[in-house]
Amino acid sequence: SLKKYRKLAIESYGTALQTFAGESNHSRDVYRLISMWFRNCDSMDDINIDNTLQKIPSYHFVPLIYQIFSRISGNDKHAFEPNQFQTILQKLISRVCEEHPYHGIVQMIALSNGNTVDNLTYSENVGASKSEESKKLLMRVKKRSNFLSELVDSYILLTDSIIDLALAPTKQLVERRMLKKIPFSKVQNSNKSLVNIMRRCNYKPCILTKLPHIQPGRDYGNGKDNPPGSELIDKFVAHFSITDSGVHRPKIVVCVSSKGNEFTQLVKGNDDIRQDAVLQQVFSTVNMLLSSRKRINDRHLKLVTYSCVPLSPIAGILQWVDNTAPMRDFLVKAHPRYYPNDWSLTCCSLHYKDGPKETKRQTYDEVCRHLR
């Protein structure tokens, strides 16, 4: 029967993930396992999925943090999954946060910030139930050890400060052409300023846009040493900049690590970057699949990715990518080179702007004919 084969498949995936190292081809089995679990969460009575998940090393689940954590829901009338599903799910999430804190805590905080959004457009996709349950889970994680408690508090201080900066209005600064080396005091109170909050952290968070390498042995330095593949935050440079373009004019900050290395980061507000983060996750998965093919791996084919870290439905921080240009800037220069007989962008804009209102559509069609 279908239930029999489903049970066999889940048990087989679980055995494979218990047995093989994460670098083997079996690492993709976690995607199949989680997919089967989520699709059949209301009809798993014959399968001890909790026992299967508990036997699988937690590092296998870290690449799927966004998908797993997003299923959190309270056991109220708005929760659509059975309570047993939520119990097992939250047990798994707690284990991931405890054993891989630098990967899990930030996502939990982002979910808990969901009901702090006033904008209905952004808050519809979060829900008070998910946010409240995330806060409860964070409190449970904090009780596991003094290190986790202090680390969660440090991340909350840091993320609150970044969100405050992201949402700070910059209209007056832009009008005064004050775009570079702006003191944080211009837009933040001293108790929220990025310059000051790191002094209040007993255990320093790691660079948000440079997560540690996933450690099967769960050794991340315990807050004293730099986690492998990342560095702890020491401070932020005492000023920020505003980008030259962008709908909401993101801010540029520079984070200094405990090793003295500087990391430029982009702080965005009034913008939902959760979809950007998932898209980068998809690209990373594509790279993993490409690297598993020897012929492709030998040619070093891969998609270039960058780090996107949502901190709430309307704010987040992104890795600054050097040696890049906005697509518009590239097209403005490249189009005349390949299509020298086309109208220039300025000509097109003026022609459309000066066209009569009653013939705007005809004017637009004419512009399209002269701009391929």
Side-chain angles (χ1 to χ4, degrees):
S1 67
L2 179 61
K3 286 188 176 181
K4 178 180 177 182
Y5 284 115
R6 185 174 61 201
K7 180 179 180 181
L8 179 61
I10 287 176
E11 290 175 350
S12 299
Y13 286 139
T15 301
L17 290 166
Q18 293 172 48
T19 307
F20 294 96
E23 295 302 319
S24 77
N25 289 334
H26 291 274
S27 61
R28 71 185 68 174
D29 290 346
V30 71
Y31 294 88
R32 300 186 178 103
L33 174 63
I34 294 299
S35 177
M36 290 188 68
W37 178 30
F38 284 179
R39 284 205 311 267
N40 301 281
C41 61
D42 58 346
S43 57
M44 300 282 281
D45 296 338
D46 59 325
I47 303 173
N48 192 345
I49 186 68
D50 186 24
N51 183 57
T52 299
L53 295 174
Q54 289 299 316
K55 289 181 179 180
I56 298 171
S58 59
Y59 72 91
H60 281 296
F61 301 105
V62 173
L64 283 170
I65 276 180
Y66 285 118
Q67 286 71 29
I68 295 172
F69 285 29
S70 67
R71 297 298 290 266
I72 295 174
S73 179
N75 294 328
D76 58 20
K77 63 181 180 179
H78 299 294
F80 59 87
E81 281 103 358
N83 293 353
Q84 184 185 15
F85 172 78
Q86 281 298 317
T87 301
I88 298 171
L89 177 76
Q90 293 184 22
K91 188 187 297 185
L92 174 62
I93 291 173
S94 295
R95 184 158 68 102
V96 171
C97 287
E98 292 162 18
E99 298 179 356
H100 308 274
Y102 294 108
H103 297 87
I105 289 175
V106 175
Q107 175 65 5
M108 286 297 300
I109 293 173
L111 288 172
S112 70
N113 286 332
N115 61 355
T116 62
V117 179
D118 294 329
N119 190 317
L120 183 62
T121 303
Y122 294 111
S123 61
E124 282 179 339
N125 296 327
V126 183
S129 173
K130 189 186 298 291
S131 298
E132 290 304 318
E133 207 62 32
S134 299
K135 290 176 182 177
K136 293 177 185 177
L137 266 172
L138 271 176
M139 293 302 105
R140 266 181 256 164
V141 171
K142 287 181 65 174
K143 292 178 181 179
R144 301 299 293 180
S145 70
N146 180 63
F147 164 64
L148 286 172
S149 178
E150 296 280 2
L151 188 63
V152 169
D153 289 341
S154 296
Y155 268 110
I156 290 174
L157 281 172
L158 175 61
T159 55
D160 284 352
S161 179
I162 293 173
I163 293 171
D164 181 69
L165 176 64
L167 301 179
T170 58
K171 183 178 179 180
Q172 292 184 354
L173 295 173
V174 172
E175 289 175 349
R176 291 157 51 191
R177 302 303 299 168
M178 192 175 179
L179 303 178
K180 307 295 181 184
K181 294 189 175 181
I182 308 166
F184 285 101
S185 59
K186 291 288 184 181
V187 296
Q188 286 188 299
N189 296 326
S190 59
N191 64 324
K192 283 272 187 151
S193 173
L194 270 180
V195 178
N196 299 327
I197 55 100
M198 293 311 301
R199 302 170 191 160
R200 296 156 54 191
C201 298
N202 292 330
Y203 286 102
K204 301 294 179 70
C206 72
I207 306 296
L208 291 180
T209 53
K210 187 182 180 183
L211 288 177
H213 300 317
I214 300 173
Q215 299 297 304
R218 299 168 289 175
D219 182 12
Y220 292 98
N222 209 30
K224 299 176 182 178
D225 301 319
N226 288 310
S230 185
E231 300 170 34
L232 299 177
I233 299 174
D234 180 47
K235 61 181 180 180
F236 285 84
V237 172
H239 49 75
F240 70 97
S241 302
I242 300 174
T243 58
D244 296 327
S245 61
V247 177
H248 299 293
R249 303 301 284 266
K251 291 94 172 174
I252 303 170
V253 300
V254 178
C255 180
V256 182
S257 76
S258 56
K259 292 183 177 180
N261 296 320
E262 294 187 349
F263 296 84
T264 305
Q265 299 169 327
L266 193 68
V267 177
K268 297 188 73 174
N270 294 304
D271 194 4
D272 188 354
I273 69 167
R274 291 174 296 180
Q275 291 184 359
D276 301 67
V278 173
L279 188 59
Q280 294 302 316
Q281 182 192 36
V282 170
F283 290 162
S284 297
T285 303
V286 170
N287 286 338
M288 180 193 74
L289 296 174
L290 290 175
S291 65
S292 66
R293 302 285 181 145
K294 186 177 184 306
R295 290 178 60 187
I296 296 177
N297 195 37
D298 290 344
R299 296 169 62 189
H300 306 290
L301 297 178
K302 63 180 294 188
L303 295 166
V304 176
T305 61
Y306 59 90
S307 180
C308 298
V309 186
L311 302 178
S312 85
I314 57 171
I317 190 166
L318 296 84
Q319 176 186 355
W320 182 264
V321 183
D322 292 317
N323 303 317
T324 60
M327 181 64 74
R328 181 183 182 279
D329 293 352
F330 169 76
L331 291 175
V332 167
K333 296 178 180 178
H335 194 86
R337 187 189 315 160
Y338 295 101
Y339 300 95
N341 297 323
D342 280 7
W343 287 359
S344 68
L345 183 62
T346 303
C347 180
C348 292
S349 299
L350 290 174
H351 187 74
Y352 183 78
K353 181 180 178 181
D354 295 339
K357 289 185 178 180
E358 57 273 11
T359 60
K360 279 294 183 184
R361 177 56 199 241
Q362 290 87 336
T363 305
Y364 172 77
D365 291 338
E366 186 179 7
V367 167
C368 290
R369 287 195 297 271
H370 291 86
L371 185 68
R372 290 173 291 172

